[in-house]
Amino acid sequence: MNRIPGRMPTTPPTLADVAERAGVSRQTVSNAVNNPDLLRADTLMRVQEAISELGYLPNRAARNLRTRSSHLIGLRIQPVQEGTANATMDRFVHSLVETSREAGYHVLLFSGDVGDPLAGYDDLLRSTAVDAFVVTDTYLGNPQATWLDSRRAPFVAFGRPWDNPGATHAWVDVDGAAGCRLATDHLLDKGHERIAWIGWRKDSFIGEDRRSGWHGAMHARGLPTTGLASRVEDTVASGRSAAGVLLDEARPTAFVCASDTLAMGVLHTLHERGLRAGDDVAVVGFDDSQVAQVVRPGLSSVRQPLEEVAVEVVSALEGLLGHPRVAHRGVLLTPTLEVRDSSGPDRR
Amino acid sequence: MNRIPGRMPTTPPTLADVAERAGVSRQTVSNAVNNPDLLRADTLMRVQEAISELGYLPNRAARNLRTRSSHLIGLRIQPVQEGTANATMDRFVHSLVETSREAGYHVLLFSGDVGDPLAGYDDLLRSTAVDAFVVTDTYLGNPQATWLDSRRAPFVAFGRPWDNPGATHAWVDVDGAAGCRLATDHLLDKGHERIAWIGWRKDSFIGEDRRSGWHGAMHARGLPTTGLASRVEDTVASGRSAAGVLLDEARPTAFVCASDTLAMGVLHTLHERGLRAGDDVAVVGFDDSQVAQVVRPGLSSVRQPLEEVAVEVVSALEGLLGHPRVAHRGVLLTPTLEVRDSSGPDRR
DNA sequence: GCGCCGGGATGGATCGATCCAACGACGTAC
DNA sequence: GTACGTCGTTGGATCGATCCATCCCGGCGC
């Protein structure tokens, strides 16, 4: 509605221009924008008219300088992993951008060395370029948290402080164990009893958490797990060979995997052996990637509620940056299960 | 190296702090940062020491206000399309962030209504939040270009001005026709003669461009194309049914598709009919998505050189924003072909 | 009639880096 | 010894929005 037709003037109108046009002082215009209830109704109206006539919008730089805040949120992104099915970032980034916008923030992307988890944060912080960070790459501990804490930098982590349960910063995470329990129960309900696990190496906190979901679900029904688990790297090839070994040695009728990438490896092995995914051996992955959605047969997969994660993250940020500051404890969200053909039919 | 150990002071050091510590004036410090060659060697040294001792970095907001530039580049992102294999954005965004960083820019994400292609641009422009835009969503014409031009807003488009060949703005694009020619020639060289095309509806400029690559390659060898082409929506289901119809009516031995999503549809149909992708019928997709990389059999696919696109885009931006301004004509890059098992064996 | 009160509007100062015009020191030429 | 040019440096003004203390004016009580 406020869009101005025609050419942009050489220099955008300033608050002073609006003040002059409306016949009031600068402060009054500022109040009209930031504290409308301080003005008398008729004055407010007059100022607002001038604002929309000129197409005025506060200059960001000036406002940032004065208020010492940029309304920008820093998010570090890492290279796409080719050859895997990992795709949480894309979905999360979009949700975050959308939710941030509603809260009046924009997202500033920066890139980081894969080696140095702190690279990039420092400069943005010291140059007061962002108000806060969203830290996502916490798969192997979270040195960023400690460091950002020591710099008194506001931030919210997507991922629990695995390596430091006493940490007091705000975080949001998805309950991977619950997701894998969901997947495993789903298969158990279909009548499977020998359900194998293919997950990540032991140094991955997330991997062990997801594994515990499978493990817990099996034990809750008094079923054995010995020899049914494998821990490998997160690649299709690893999933493929792990599935081969498990099929030979443990004869599982179903697989639960820590990622869609690994699940794709399982599908490969099944096909090589002439086994039908779903009908002969059931498979469930994790992340509900595009791959899971378009592959044949459709890959059942645990889906993280990234939209909700973004909402919680932004709400935590608002608490951190608002006045007064509202402490935000950790939030744990529950994923859902997308059932597709790789789950197979009921076996009972 | 400049990273300060320990706690962040409550307020970061300013240029005046550095000046005082080094025993010089503010302007001298500013010169040390922006025009080092104006200072005498010993003065420069002294100032630089003070800078690193204090961990000084120019305040972004103040610099932005004074120089009337934010060193931010706006990029509008759209929701992930679930159920498709489309994944160019993710790779491109990362390349852009990385390349921008080297040029001293950061990337600001904003979201847009799918309906209104102009949403979001206006506010950022009027509030002087970004120096320029990178416009990507130009699949159906590019109203943004005309509009941004009229607002005198600097921008670079990833995508040709299809609907307005006379447009003078800077753009970078990937030669889709060349990519499809590459794919088709690849299959022709393997001995295929009846190669089918599955592409997008006629209103897509990009789709028609890619199609022309297939069409041209076929005609160059004197092969017929009649009845071998299908134009559908970009979904797996459409690709699947289009492949079915073509197999029944035209008996092709190979498919070239406008997207990996459509190619996945072809793979589905082949499997349903007991045909082996690669061995019986060859398939080539477009975009080299994660799906193409992890599916079985591996899907041959045309890969866009997004890293190069980012480099060209940033170089164009530097031209637009630099002094003096350097005009940047359109740049057309050539994609490559990733050959995988779905190409099948040599038939000769 | 005088003084007090309070919502509302006002001009000046401020945030921190950069631009500008002027100034000081030093060396050279006459 | 004085005039002049150059290089490096200096304080003040500036960008635009917001904070602060002040001021204005109508209404009310005594």
Side-chain angles (χ1 to χ4, degrees):
Chain A
M1 294 301 138
N2 275 341
R3 197 172 286 157
I4 305 298
R7 283 202 4 204
M8 178 92 169
T10 357
T11 114
T14 74
L15 183 135
D17 297 332
V18 177
E20 191 181 10
R21 186 179 188 102
V24 297
S25 73
R26 302 189 318 259
Q27 172 74 353
T28 305
V29 179
S30 176
N31 282 338
V33 175
N34 301 310
N35 303 81
D37 43 333
L38 287 183
L39 298 201
R40 222 163 33 204
D42 57 333
T43 314
L44 179 60
M45 181 84 77
R46 206 151 34 99
V47 175
Q48 282 175 337
E49 267 173 29
I51 287 180
S52 67
E53 278 170 25
L54 292 175
Y56 168 78
L57 227 56
N59 178 303
R60 217 86 163 198
R63 172 178 274 185
N64 293 350
L65 174 60
R66 188 64 238 220
T67 64
R68 299 173 164 285
S69 77
S70 62
H71 280 256
L72 289 180
I73 294 170
L75 177 69
R76 193 177 108 143
I77 61 164
Q78 289 184 294
V80 183
Q81 290 176 356
E82 309 263 342
T84 69
N86 305 340
T88 39
M89 260 326 245
D90 211 8
R91 250 179 74 213
F92 176 64
V93 168
H94 189 274
S95 298
L96 185 65
V97 169
E98 187 63 42
T99 318
S100 302
R101 185 182 60 77
E102 289 164 13
Y105 287 88
H106 281 285
V107 173
L108 174 79
L109 290 186
F110 64 104
S111 61
D113 237 326
V114 183
D116 181 0
L118 266 39
Y121 287 101
D122 198 40
D123 287 357
L124 289 172
L125 199 52
R126 291 222 311 274
S127 63
T128 62
V130 300
D131 288 352
F133 291 100
V134 172
V135 177
T136 59
D137 35 10
T138 60
Y139 43 92
L140 283 182
N142 188 350
Q144 300 95 315
T146 322
W147 187 82
L148 288 170
D149 252 339
S150 76
R151 306 296 299 269
R152 311 188 146 281
F155 73 101
V156 177
F158 176 11
R160 273 162 279 183
W162 297 103
D163 50 348
N164 179 15
T168 55
H169 66 260
W171 56 263
V172 182
D173 205 356
V174 173
D175 192 339
C180 290
R181 204 175 306 122
L182 208 59
T184 310
D185 280 337
H186 163 67
L187 294 170
L188 288 167
D189 290 346
K190 279 192 177 288
H192 291 272
E193 297 200 328
R194 295 192 64 73
I195 303 175
W197 168 258
I198 302 181
W200 298 329
R201 298 196 175 285
K202 238 180 175 165
D203 56 1
S204 161
F205 293 105
I206 300 177
E208 289 304 291
D209 180 50
R210 293 188 184 174
R211 183 180 187 283
S212 75
W214 161 78
H215 194 263
M218 293 292 278
H219 279 235
R221 309 237 183 160
L223 293 169
T225 53
T226 317
L228 279 168
S230 184
R231 289 191 181 90
V232 298
E233 268 186 284
D234 191 37
T235 66
V236 176
S238 306
R240 189 172 144 279
S241 56
V245 174
L246 284 166
L247 283 170
D248 289 339
E249 298 181 353
R251 309 230 155 259
T253 63
F255 287 87
V256 175
C257 302
S259 75
D260 281 353
T261 306
L262 291 172
M264 284 305 294
V266 176
L267 293 188
H268 287 206
T269 295
L270 295 181
H271 183 259
E272 282 159 20
R273 303 199 169 192
L275 294 167
R276 290 165 305 168
D279 291 329
D280 297 329
V281 177
V283 184
V284 180
F286 201 110
D287 263 354
D288 196 30
S289 60
Q290 289 185 314
V291 176
Q293 296 173 22
V294 305
V295 78
R296 175 203 44 73
L299 177 63
S300 294
S301 194
V302 176
R303 182 181 173 93
Q304 303 198 44
L306 298 180
E307 297 76 12
E308 286 177 53
V309 172
V311 169
E312 290 293 339
V313 164
V314 170
S315 139
L317 282 173
E318 289 185 296
L320 281 174
L321 300 172
H323 300 286
R325 313 218 161 167
V326 179
H328 189 98
R329 310 259 311 275
V331 170
L332 198 57
L333 299 171
T334 307
T336 56
L337 182 67
E338 294 291 321
V339 177
R340 300 200 177 84
D341 289 345
S342 74
S343 289
D346 220 307
R347 297 206 154 205
R348 292 182 192 276
Chain B
M1 293 303 133
N2 275 343
R3 198 173 286 156
I4 305 298
R7 285 202 3 205
M8 179 92 168
T10 357
T11 116
T14 74
L15 183 136
D17 297 333
V18 177
E20 191 182 9
R21 184 175 189 107
V24 298
S25 73
R26 302 188 320 258
Q27 173 74 358
T28 305
V29 178
S30 176
N31 283 337
V33 175
N34 300 312
N35 303 80
D37 43 330
L38 288 182
L39 298 203
R40 221 164 33 204
D42 58 333
T43 314
L44 180 60
M45 181 84 77
R46 208 150 35 98
V47 174
Q48 282 176 335
E49 268 174 29
I51 286 179
S52 68
E53 278 170 23
L54 292 174
Y56 167 78
L57 227 58
N59 179 304
R60 218 82 163 203
R63 170 176 278 186
N64 293 350
L65 174 58
R66 189 61 237 224
T67 63
R68 298 171 164 287
S69 77
S70 63
H71 280 255
L72 289 180
I73 293 169
L75 177 69
R76 191 177 112 143
I77 60 165
Q78 287 184 295
V80 183
Q81 290 177 355
E82 309 262 344
T84 70
N86 306 340
T88 39
M89 259 326 244
D90 212 7
R91 251 178 74 213
F92 176 63
V93 168
H94 189 274
S95 298
L96 184 66
V97 169
E98 188 64 42
T99 317
S100 303
R101 185 181 60 78
E102 290 163 13
Y105 288 89
H106 282 285
V107 173
L108 176 81
L109 291 185
F110 63 104
S111 60
D113 237 325
V114 184
D116 181 0
L118 266 40
Y121 287 101
D122 198 40
D123 287 356
L124 289 172
L125 198 53
R126 290 222 312 274
S127 63
T128 62
V130 300
D131 289 351
F133 291 100
V134 173
V135 177
T136 59
D137 35 11
T138 59
Y139 43 92
L140 281 182
N142 188 353
Q144 300 95 319
T146 321
W147 187 82
L148 288 169
D149 252 339
S150 77
R151 306 299 298 268
R152 313 190 146 279
F155 73 101
V156 178
F158 175 9
R160 271 162 281 183
W162 296 103
D163 50 349
N164 179 14
T168 54
H169 67 261
W171 57 263
V172 182
D173 205 355
V174 173
D175 191 340
C180 290
R181 206 175 305 123
L182 208 58
T184 311
D185 280 335
H186 163 67
L187 295 170
L188 289 168
D189 290 344
K190 278 189 179 290
H192 291 271
E193 298 200 329
R194 295 192 64 74
I195 303 175
W197 168 258
I198 302 181
W200 299 327
R201 296 196 177 286
K202 235 177 175 166
D203 55 1
S204 161
F205 293 106
I206 299 178
E208 288 305 290
D209 180 49
R210 292 188 184 173
R211 183 181 187 282
S212 75
W214 160 78
H215 194 264
M218 294 291 280
H219 280 234
R221 308 234 186 163
L223 295 169
T225 54
T226 317
L228 279 168
S230 183
R231 289 192 181 90
V232 297
E233 268 187 284
D234 190 37
T235 66
V236 176
S238 306
R240 189 172 143 279
S241 57
V245 173
L246 283 166
L247 281 171
D248 289 340
E249 299 180 356
R251 308 230 157 259
T253 62
F255 287 88
V256 175
C257 303
S259 74
D260 281 353
T261 306
L262 292 172
M264 284 304 295
V266 176
L267 292 188
H268 287 205
T269 295
L270 295 182
H271 183 260
E272 282 159 18
R273 305 201 167 191
L275 294 167
R276 290 164 306 166
D279 291 327
D280 297 328
V281 177
V283 183
V284 180
F286 201 110
D287 264 354
D288 196 31
S289 61
Q290 289 186 317
V291 176
Q293 296 173 22
V294 306
V295 78
R296 174 204 44 74
L299 177 64
S300 294
S301 194
V302 177
R303 182 180 173 92
Q304 303 198 43
L306 299 180
E307 298 76 13
E308 286 177 54
V309 172
V311 169
E312 290 294 338
V313 164
V314 170
S315 139
L317 282 173
E318 289 185 296
L320 281 175
L321 300 173
H323 301 285
R325 313 220 161 167
V326 179
H328 188 99
R329 309 263 308 277
V331 171
L332 197 56
L333 299 171
T334 308
T336 55
L337 181 66
E338 296 290 320
V339 176
R340 300 200 178 84
D341 289 345
S342 74
S343 289
D346 218 309
R347 297 204 154 206
R348 293 182 193 277

